[in-house]
Amino acid sequence: ADYPGNPFYPEALQVSASDGTLVRSKSESLIASGLAYNGIPYRYECELRLEGQFFYPDFTIRHPTTGKVFIWEHFGMVDQEEYLERTLKKLRIYLRNGYIPTVNLILTFETRQVPLGYDTVFRVIRDYFM
C-alpha cells in the first residue's frame, strides 16, 4: 500500500535493493535486500510523527507472524561527530516515545573502519523475524 515517504533529497535515492526499492546507501540496500529475500514486509523511510516533528525511519517492518511493528535505523557514519550528535538526539526522541532498543527498535551502526556486512544484517533478521 502507498504510504507517506520522505520528501527530502529524492535525488539521493540512487542505490537499488534487490526488490527494486531505491535507497540512499549500500548498507541500506543490504538491509532492504535481506528483508525482501526473507519475505519480510517493510516500508522504507515511512513518515512517523513524534513530538510534533516528522521522522523518516530507515525501515518500518511488520513482523510476518506476529504483526508487531519494528523500526530499524541504520546509522552509517557514527565516526563523524556531527552525525553522531544528530543520532543521539534522534535516539532520545525514540526512547521518550516508546521505541526501545531490542524491543521494537532495531539499531545498526557502522564507521569507515567497520562497515555493515551481510553477516550482521542476516543475523539481525534471523534474531528478530525468523
Side-chain angles (χ1 to χ4, degrees):
D2 287 335
Y3 59 91
N6 187 347
F8 302 105
Y9 309 107
E11 68 278 3
L13 298 170
Q14 295 189 2
V15 181
S16 183
S18 64
D19 64 355
T21 301
L22 290 176
V23 296
R24 298 176 191 277
S25 71
K26 289 182 207 175
S27 295
E28 290 181 345
S29 175
L30 284 176
I31 295 167
S33 296
L35 292 167
Y37 177 81
N38 287 287
I40 299 166
Y42 72 90
R43 291 180 172 181
Y44 179 72
E45 293 189 345
C46 181
E47 184 179 278
L48 175 66
R49 191 177 177 109
L50 299 173
E51 299 182 4
Q53 301 175 64
F54 289 107
F55 290 84
Y56 300 93
D58 295 328
F59 299 91
T60 303
I61 306 161
R62 182 174 301 280
H63 192 286
T65 306
T66 67
K68 181 177 177 180
V69 175
F70 292 80
I71 288 177
W72 185 339
E73 285 280 20
H74 176 68
F75 298 104
M77 299 184 294
V78 294
D79 50 350
Q80 297 178 17
E81 190 63 31
E82 212 172 287
Y83 182 91
L84 179 58
E85 288 304 316
R86 287 193 311 271
T87 296
L88 294 173
K89 284 176 73 171
K90 192 177 205 180
L91 288 175
R92 284 184 193 101
I93 292 170
Y94 279 147
L95 288 165
R96 284 195 305 259
N97 287 276
Y99 291 95
I100 310 299
T102 73
V103 174
N104 57 357
L105 177 61
I106 302 166
L107 304 172
T108 48
F109 302 88
E110 72 181 303
T111 66
R112 286 185 191 138
Q113 288 74 32
V114 183
L116 183 70
Y118 285 106
D119 55 339
T120 300
V121 170
F122 282 96
R123 179 184 48 77
V124 169
I125 290 170
R126 182 192 68 230
D127 290 351
Y128 281 90
F129 303 108
M130 303 181 91

